[in-house]
Amino acid sequence: MGESQYSFSLTTFSPSGKLVQIEYALQAVNSGATSLGIKASNGVVLATEKKLPSILVDDSTVRKISLVTPSIGMTYAGMGPDSRVLVRKARKCGQVYYRQYAEQISVAQLVRETATVMQEFTQSGGVRPFGVSLMMAGYDENGPQLYQVDPSGSYFAWKASAIGKNMVNAKAFLEKRYNEEMELEDAIHTALLTLKEGFEGEMSGDNVEVGIVGQDGVFRVLGAEEVDDYLKEVA
């Protein structure tokens, strides 16, 4: 029977030491739209494809990059509804910390709390893993920070990373183009060029979303007009 008899149980290890449902969750991530993050010397940029299921959908109601705290934002690859649950939990965690200590939570601590929630959903009966990987970016007293969190609850700090269906090509492109002295403006251009590598159709401010945080410590999502201006610069 091989490992198929273990594939429907989240809490049972297969003979080879795998939790197969987590691998299936990663397949859901790898079939999602490409998202990426780049840490610059003076900030962080997140960029993601925003493909709509139909031209009849009102694109102003679709958001792929979310503000979590004033200085931290996140995007995802995989199942959108699952990401909304994690965004809500992360926002609540940030607010609880702020009310208790009267200062904003650090990026690393918020990432750790979010990853803990994802890990708990790999160890309980009657639940399933989250079908998303997250890219979380922020700016705190330790400078610019970029983290990736996977469905298993594992997380790492990255200089630049990509998730989603074009992840392999995007990471290969970033390895060639990344430079630690890169500034935020250059990072935005590199992020758009990386997305362009595997993009189907023409990129515009309507089907690409970009979020940035700089030394002012304010995370914001660029408007469609700003994205269009940057796309003209890299054309």
Side-chain angles (χ1 to χ4, degrees):
M1 290 179 69
E3 301 202 341
S4 61
Q5 60 186 314
Y6 301 93
S7 64
F8 294 106
S9 173
L10 172 61
T11 55
T12 306
F13 283 98
S14 70
S16 62
K18 295 177 181 175
L19 290 171
V20 186
Q21 284 295 308
I22 293 177
E23 298 200 350
Y24 292 163
L26 282 168
Q27 288 180 24
V29 171
N30 292 336
S31 63
T34 308
S35 299
L36 60 94
I38 301 174
K39 183 174 80 168
S41 60
N42 60 341
V44 189
V45 56
L46 296 177
T48 180
E49 295 179 13
K50 188 172 76 171
K51 293 286 182 67
L52 301 177
S54 167
I55 59 170
L56 300 177
V57 174
D58 180 358
D59 61 5
S60 66
T61 64
V62 180
R63 287 279 176 270
K64 283 205 65 185
I65 298 180
S66 304
L67 183 69
V68 183
T69 74
S71 61
I72 303 172
M74 71 163 74
T75 188
Y76 70 92
M79 300 175 67
D82 285 16
S83 79
R84 288 202 305 270
V85 174
L86 290 168
V87 167
R88 188 172 71 243
K89 287 179 180 289
R91 284 172 173 166
K92 184 176 180 180
C93 178
Q95 285 298 309
V96 167
Y97 187 95
Y98 183 75
R99 290 195 64 180
Q100 190 165 357
Y101 300 108
E103 64 182 35
Q104 296 295 342
I105 191 169
S106 69
V107 183
Q109 191 166 349
L110 185 61
V111 168
R112 186 168 64 247
E113 295 297 331
T114 306
T116 299
V117 171
M118 296 176 79
Q119 191 279 331
E120 286 170 356
F121 276 71
T122 70
Q123 206 175 359
S124 308
V127 299
R128 64 162 175 78
F130 288 95
V132 289
S133 284
L134 305 174
M135 298 292 301
M136 300 180 69
Y139 203 105
D140 57 23
E141 67 272 9
N142 296 314
Q145 309 279 315
L146 174 68
Y147 284 86
Q148 178 181 325
V149 192
D150 289 327
S152 63
S154 61
Y155 65 93
F156 297 95
W158 290 79
K159 297 174 183 176
S161 185
I163 50 180
K165 64 186 176 201
N166 197 40
M167 170 188 73
V168 175
N169 292 336
K171 279 189 175 179
F173 187 84
L174 287 168
E175 285 171 6
K176 293 174 187 171
R177 297 292 295 255
Y178 183 76
N179 179 355
E180 290 193 18
E181 275 73 51
M182 182 184 289
E183 295 198 350
L184 190 57
E185 289 289 305
D186 296 327
I188 296 171
H189 292 148
T190 303
L192 292 173
L193 285 169
T194 307
L195 276 184
K196 202 172 184 180
E197 282 291 291
F199 199 86
E200 297 169 10
E202 188 175 344
M203 288 173 62
S204 72
D206 295 326
N207 56 23
V208 172
E209 223 169 284
V210 178
I212 60 171
V213 59
Q215 290 173 315
D216 58 356
V218 177
F219 187 93
R220 70 184 185 93
V221 179
L222 301 185
E225 297 82 8
E226 291 177 278
V227 175
D228 281 330
D229 289 342
Y230 279 113
L231 284 169
K232 287 174 187 170
E233 291 173 16
V234 299

